[in-house]
Amino acid sequence: MELAYLMNEPKHAYQDIEILYMIDSEAEVRTDTAFKLKENDIVVFNAGEEHAIRCEGKAIAFRLLIPYRLLGKLSSDEILFFRCNSALYTDSPYGDLVHLVEQLVLDYLNLDMADLSEASSVLFQIIRELFKNYKVDQSKIGQAAPRYHLSKIDRILNYIQLHYSETLNLPDLAERFHMSEAYFSHYFKEKTGENYQTYLNAVRIRNAALDLCPT
């Protein structure tokens, strides 16, 4: 998380969930559509969602990245998608989420590195608020964002990325995606060039390495 002066940012995307909260001034944002963030506006950029930001002068914002793999441990969904943008979706209530983010900003500014419990508590309240009020039902993601209507192999790989730390044996995964074990193995190898267990082990090793990183 960071409190920063927003600069002009070319199109980019994170693999994590990004929350952007405007504290002062305004910024123009372009995703699949264009909108303007003003003071106290809040938006969630979903994993892999490309967006560009343009600012005139100094705009102050608070940016929070929440690891997608952390959220995956809290849900059995294949894909996580949040519909949260106070500049576009004015029908949703944002007061509670904004209050929590403002509390996190205060904790961040007064952070005692010897005790992170307060900030951690607020962070998990923010996550709970996202799931409670802004998570799009699995069956409606394609309607909310057509480009998130993924192919079957994309859904399988996304599910593995979300649940790699759990028991993911091949028979159960094949059943989940309505395939026989033999066909699943053939399909997975054809689409990825690797057998399932090799791919799963690589994902686990890569994420274990990330867990060891200090930042």
PDB file of all heavy atoms in Angstrom, residues 75 135-136 144 174 200:
ATOM      1  N   SER A  75     -12.327 -18.107  -0.948  1.00  0.00           N
ATOM      2  CA  SER A  75     -13.456 -18.366  -1.842  1.00  0.00           C
ATOM      3  C   SER A  75     -13.230 -19.652  -2.618  1.00  0.00           C
ATOM      4  O   SER A  75     -12.097 -20.017  -2.914  1.00  0.00           O
ATOM      5  CB  SER A  75     -13.621 -17.194  -2.820  1.00  0.00           C
ATOM      6  OG  SER A  75     -14.590 -17.473  -3.797  1.00  0.00           O
ATOM      7  N   LYS A 135     -18.628  -8.283  -4.681  1.00  0.00           N
ATOM      8  CA  LYS A 135     -18.254  -9.469  -5.460  1.00  0.00           C
ATOM      9  C   LYS A 135     -19.392  -9.853  -6.397  1.00  0.00           C
ATOM     10  O   LYS A 135     -20.540  -9.973  -5.984  1.00  0.00           O
ATOM     11  CB  LYS A 135     -17.923 -10.627  -4.515  1.00  0.00           C
ATOM     12  CG  LYS A 135     -17.510 -11.906  -5.200  1.00  0.00           C
ATOM     13  CD  LYS A 135     -17.085 -12.922  -4.143  1.00  0.00           C
ATOM     14  CE  LYS A 135     -17.153 -14.332  -4.671  1.00  0.00           C
ATOM     15  NZ  LYS A 135     -18.483 -14.744  -5.096  1.00  0.00           N
ATOM     16  N   VAL A 136     -19.048 -10.039  -7.672  1.00  0.00           N
ATOM     17  CA  VAL A 136     -20.046 -10.413  -8.677  1.00  0.00           C
ATOM     18  C   VAL A 136     -20.232 -11.919  -8.658  1.00  0.00           C
ATOM     19  O   VAL A 136     -19.254 -12.684  -8.622  1.00  0.00           O
ATOM     20  CB  VAL A 136     -19.601  -9.950 -10.085  1.00  0.00           C
ATOM     21  CG1 VAL A 136     -20.594 -10.407 -11.149  1.00  0.00           C
ATOM     22  CG2 VAL A 136     -19.469  -8.428 -10.116  1.00  0.00           C
ATOM     23  N   ALA A 144     -21.286  -8.821 -16.531  1.00  0.00           N
ATOM     24  CA  ALA A 144     -20.676  -7.620 -15.967  1.00  0.00           C
ATOM     25  C   ALA A 144     -19.445  -7.193 -16.759  1.00  0.00           C
ATOM     26  O   ALA A 144     -19.178  -6.004 -16.922  1.00  0.00           O
ATOM     27  CB  ALA A 144     -20.298  -7.866 -14.500  1.00  0.00           C
ATOM     28  N   ALA A 174     -10.966 -32.832 -12.302  1.00  0.00           N
ATOM     29  CA  ALA A 174     -11.642 -33.252 -13.530  1.00  0.00           C
ATOM     30  C   ALA A 174     -13.158 -33.262 -13.327  1.00  0.00           C
ATOM     31  O   ALA A 174     -13.915 -32.792 -14.187  1.00  0.00           O
ATOM     32  CB  ALA A 174     -11.147 -34.635 -13.940  1.00  0.00           C
ATOM     33  N   LEU A 200       1.145 -27.983 -11.504  1.00  0.00           N
ATOM     34  CA  LEU A 200       0.736 -27.648 -10.138  1.00  0.00           C
ATOM     35  C   LEU A 200       1.954 -27.458  -9.238  1.00  0.00           C
ATOM     36  O   LEU A 200       2.018 -26.513  -8.449  1.00  0.00           O
ATOM     37  CB  LEU A 200      -0.168 -28.749  -9.581  1.00  0.00           C
ATOM     38  CG  LEU A 200      -0.608 -28.591  -8.119  1.00  0.00           C
ATOM     39  CD1 LEU A 200      -1.390 -27.296  -7.924  1.00  0.00           C
ATOM     40  CD2 LEU A 200      -1.442 -29.790  -7.682  1.00  0.00           C
TER      41      LEU A 200
END
